[in-house]
Amino acid sequence: RLALYTLFPEVRLNHLLNQLQKEQEFLHQHGYSLSYARCKL
């Protein structure tokens, strides 16, 4: 997994975003809001 994340950082980013999406309800219950934006380089 480390090699995959190192070679393809977008895979790691997608994994993190999926985890945050799963935890979104928990965050809302505790008064947190989460948003993210993508920008092209």
Side-chain angles (χ1 to χ4, degrees):
R1 188 184 309 183
L2 179 60
L4 181 66
Y5 289 163
T6 302
L7 294 173
F8 302 102
E10 65 273 4
V11 172
R12 178 65 174 157
L13 177 60
N14 287 335
H15 182 245
L16 289 173
L17 293 175
N18 285 336
Q19 283 183 304
L20 291 173
Q21 185 178 8
K22 290 177 185 177
E23 299 296 332
Q24 190 171 12
E25 183 61 33
F26 174 80
L27 294 171
H28 283 286
Q29 289 176 357
H30 290 79
Y32 292 99
S33 171
L34 181 66
S35 63
Y36 60 91
R38 298 181 87 174
C39 60
K40 293 183 178 184
L41 296 176

